[in-house]
Amino acid sequence: MVDKGFRIDNRGHCEVYRPPFLTQKAQLSHDEVLVTQDIARLRIHVERINRRIKENKLFDTIIPLTVAVVGVVVVVVVGVVEVVVGVVVVVVVVGVGVGVVEVGVVVVGVGVVVVVVVGVVVVVGVVEVVVGVVVVVGVVVGVVVVVGVVEVVVGVGVVVVVVWGVVVVVGVVEVVVGVVVVVVVGVVVVVGVVEVVVGVVVVVVVGVVVGVVVVVGVVVGVVVVVGVVEVVVGVGVVVVVGVVL
């Protein structure tokens, strides 16, 4: 590859690459422009090498063959080190990606356990509500039966006013006790309903958290894959540069 000042053609087995001339033409053709661009793209590397040769004065003295051999060995060793470093980086990145995936799996498992526990709590709350309703119904039926029996006994055995008064007092006490029992059972039912509502809310929140964790796991996986691709590309570039040097 030469500049326009070198007016030489191919010599033997060597092919000369020279930018085309703009002689007796208004502009270069499309193919000539592409050739000029290709040569200019490669010429910058040659110019850099020439600058380094001049700055380091490589050709001011005789270069022994041992120095050339050492230089080749150094280049090879540097290339091998760069390849090893690239492989280590790839292994580290893959390990980090696997760790992130494992963490995501653990988080999802914890979310599933929480959902199961919350479901059990909801079922227990529903059972408590049903039991409370059954107890309320039983208490009411028992009160009605007791009141009916008391009325029959009192109606049949009403003989003395004092006995009647005692029976009335007892009936009032039983009614009060029944009302208290009904109130207590009603409180239990309300508590059960509140537990069911809280359980449903927790299930919804846990579901949203599990969804977010899955999305984050997917995004991290994509980022890890992109990083691995970038590392592989970087290793390829390093190898190519090493071969060129």
Side-chain angles (χ1 to χ4, degrees), residues 123-236:
V123 172
V124 172
V126 172
V127 172
E128 290 180 351
V129 171
V130 174
V131 172
V133 173
V134 172
V135 172
V136 171
V137 173
V139 171
V140 172
V141 173
V143 171
V144 173
V145 172
V146 171
V147 171
V149 172
V150 170
E151 289 178 350
V152 172
V153 173
V154 171
V156 174
V158 174
V159 179
V160 184
V161 176
V162 176
V163 175
W164 176 256
V166 172
V167 172
V168 171
V169 171
V170 172
V172 172
V173 171
E174 289 179 348
V175 171
V176 172
V177 172
V179 172
V180 172
V181 172
V182 171
V183 172
V184 172
V185 174
V187 172
V188 173
V189 172
V190 172
V191 172
V193 173
V194 172
E195 289 180 350
V196 171
V197 173
V198 173
V200 172
V201 173
V202 172
V203 169
V204 174
V205 173
V206 171
V208 173
V209 172
V210 171
V212 173
V213 170
V214 172
V215 173
V216 172
V218 172
V219 173
V220 172
V222 173
V223 173
V224 170
V225 172
V226 173
V228 172
V229 173
E230 291 179 351
V231 171
V232 172
V233 174
V235 171

Side-chain angles (χ1 to χ4, degrees), residues 11-173:
R11 291 289 185 270
H13 298 289
C14 296
E15 184 175 357
V16 178
Y17 292 92
R18 181 179 57 227
F21 292 93
L22 189 63
T23 56
Q24 299 179 356
K25 290 186 294 185
Q27 61 182 8
L28 297 176
S29 64
H30 178 71
D31 294 336
E32 291 176 341
V33 170
L34 294 180
V35 171
T36 302
Q37 291 177 352
D38 293 337
I39 294 176
R41 189 181 299 110
L42 297 175
R43 178 182 175 184
I44 183 64
H45 300 291
V46 178
E47 295 295 341
R48 289 176 179 173
I49 296 298
N50 292 335
R51 179 175 61 83
R52 292 179 181 177
I53 292 174
K54 293 178 181 179
E55 289 179 352
N56 298 320
K57 299 180 180 179
L58 298 179
F59 294 153
D60 290 353
T61 58
I62 298 176
I63 301 176
L65 293 178
T66 55
V67 174
V69 174
V70 171
V72 173
V73 172
V74 170
V75 171
V76 172
V77 172
V78 171
V80 172
V81 171
E82 290 177 347
V83 172
V84 172
V85 171
V87 172
V88 172
V89 171
V90 171
V91 172
V92 172
V93 172
V94 172
V96 172
V98 173
V100 172
V101 173
E102 291 178 351
V103 172
V105 172
V106 172
V107 173
V108 172
V110 173
V112 172
V113 172
V114 173
V115 171
V116 172
V117 173
V118 173
V120 172
V121 172
V122 172
V123 172
V124 172
V126 172
V127 172
E128 290 180 351
V129 171
V130 174
V131 172
V133 173
V134 172
V135 172
V136 171
V137 173
V139 171
V140 172
V141 173
V143 171
V144 173
V145 172
V146 171
V147 171
V149 172
V150 170
E151 289 178 350
V152 172
V153 173
V154 171
V156 174
V158 174
V159 179
V160 184
V161 176
V162 176
V163 175
W164 176 256
V166 172
V167 172
V168 171
V169 171
V170 172
V172 172
V173 171

